[in-house]
């Protein structure tokens, strides 16, 4: 299993540092988010809950145009604009770790696939 995800410019890193099972069968990765070598996990993860969906087999970290990073956090996944470092919260998905399958970046969109629905969101294009 992959434990380090890096942006092409190596400015942003997502490190898988452990495993958590807060209740029976809900498996999560514990992660840290580094920007320019500094651990900024507490600044980005909601309520300092730095847990990720467990299924990262088809997880796409960086958009092909290198403008966005996707973080598959449990509950509230989010995007980071690589240029501004601003966070874009995605719609809340309760217990997303049980449903998350994969994500993909399209031209100006992100698609997130869950076993019970697919979410497609437009990305800001004027940044």
């Amino acid at each position: 299993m992959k434990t380090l995800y890096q942006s092409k410019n190596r400015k942003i890193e997502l490190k898988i540092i452990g495993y958590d099972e807060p209740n029976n069968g809900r498996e999560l990765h514990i992660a840290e988010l580094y920007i320019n070598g500094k651990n900024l996990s507490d600044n980005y993860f909601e309520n300092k809950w730095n847990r990720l969906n467990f299924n990262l087999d088809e997880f796409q970290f960086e958009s092909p145009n290198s403008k966005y990073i996707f973080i598959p956090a449990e509950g509230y996944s989010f995007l980071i604009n690589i240029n501004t470092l601003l966070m874009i919260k995605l719609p809340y998905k309760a217990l997303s770790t049980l449903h998350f399958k994969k994500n993909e970046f399209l031209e100006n969109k992100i698609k997130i696939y869950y076993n019970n629905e697919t979410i497609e969101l437009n990305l800001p294009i004027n940044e």
Side-chain angles (χ1 to χ4, degrees), residues 10-11 17-18 22 26-29 36-37 49 53 57 59 61 64 68-69 77-78 86 90 94-95 104-105 119 121:
R10 299 180 185 255
K11 185 176 181 179
I17 61 161
R26 192 166 130 228
E27 299 173 303
L28 304 168
H29 292 292
N36 295 321
W49 182 253
N53 294 318
D57 294 339
F59 156 57
F61 181 63
Y68 294 96
I69 296 293
S77 293
F78 57 93
L86 292 175
L90 300 176
L95 300 178
E104 66 179 336
F105 287 96
I119 297 172
L121 300 164

Side-chain angles (χ1 to χ4, degrees), residues 58-69:
E58 297 183 59
F59 156 57
Q60 190 177 358
F61 181 63
E62 185 173 11
S63 63
N65 62 9
S66 297
K67 289 184 179 180
Y68 294 96
I69 296 293

Side-chain angles (χ1 to χ4, degrees), residues 5 13 28 68 99 113 122-123:
Y5 298 88
E13 295 180 329
L28 304 168
Y68 294 96
H99 304 287
Y113 299 87
N122 292 324
L123 298 172

Side-chain angles (χ1 to χ4, degrees), residues 7-107:
S7 60
K8 289 176 188 154
N9 66 6
R10 299 180 185 255
K11 185 176 181 179
I12 300 176
E13 295 180 329
L14 181 68
K15 296 179 182 180
I16 307 295
I17 61 161
Y19 166 84
D20 191 12
E21 189 177 353
N23 46 35
N24 294 336
R26 192 166 130 228
E27 299 173 303
L28 304 168
H29 292 292
I30 302 170
E32 292 179 337
L33 181 65
Y34 289 83
I35 298 177
N36 295 321
K38 186 175 178 185
N39 185 343
L40 295 177
S41 302
D42 289 349
N43 298 15
Y44 286 89
F45 285 96
E46 177 120 342
N47 299 317
K48 300 180 182 181
W49 182 253
N50 60 331
R51 303 305 194 263
L52 302 181
N53 294 318
F54 200 71
N55 178 17
L56 300 180
D57 294 339
E58 297 183 59
F59 156 57
Q60 190 177 358
F61 181 63
E62 185 173 11
S63 63
N65 62 9
S66 297
K67 289 184 179 180
Y68 294 96
I69 296 293
F70 174 68
I71 307 294
E74 186 199 34
Y76 278 110
S77 293
F78 57 93
L79 295 164
I80 298 173
N81 178 307
I82 290 178
N83 294 320
T84 65
L85 302 180
L86 292 175
M87 177 175 67
I88 301 166
K89 274 189 188 180
L90 300 176
Y92 179 74
K93 182 72 175 168
L95 300 178
S96 58
T97 197
L98 301 174
H99 304 287
F100 181 79
K101 295 296 179 195
K102 67 178 186 174
N103 71 292
E104 66 179 336
F105 287 96
L106 305 171
E107 189 170 328

